[in-house]
Amino acid sequence: VWHSGGKKWRYELKFRKGSKTICSLLAKDGAFGFMVVFGNREQETFEARRGEFSTMVAAVYDAATPYRDGKWILFDTRHEELLADFMKLLKIKRKPDSTS
């Protein structure tokens, strides 16, 4: 689903499963972002698996502001070494289909 990027971004592309957003890709001139929103259960899962993630991912997670609907975690995508961590974050957000 395409949206405007709000105040700080020009574009937002949300990937959804039903009514639940899995992640969002954000874009503006010269920059791209990757965002996941973790609810309470997903935050607990991340905390239990924190050692599997890079220190940069853990620092961004820790700095993210918790809201009533979850913790909105926004990453700068210029760091290619974080791509594997992004995939692990998505697995916390949504378990892979058993058919794949």
Side-chain angles (χ1 to χ4, degrees), residues 26-91:
L26 299 136
K28 61 183 175 183
D29 292 337
F32 292 95
F34 169 76
M35 183 170 59
V36 293
V37 178
F38 278 176
N40 289 333
R41 182 186 55 79
E42 295 151 338
Q43 290 177 57
E44 290 170 4
T45 302
F46 179 87
E47 291 294 344
R49 295 177 49 194
R50 175 185 281 274
E52 298 175 26
F53 294 91
S54 68
T55 55
M56 188 181 299
V57 166
V60 172
Y61 173 87
D62 291 340
T65 302
Y67 296 100
R68 65 172 177 75
D69 60 344
K71 196 167 198 173
W72 295 41
I73 312 158
L74 177 61
F75 297 93
D76 182 337
T77 60
R78 288 179 290 182
H79 306 284
E80 286 184 37
E81 66 273 13
L82 298 181
L83 290 177
D85 280 347
F86 293 166
M87 295 304 292
K88 289 188 273 186
L89 291 169
L90 289 174
K91 287 180 182 176

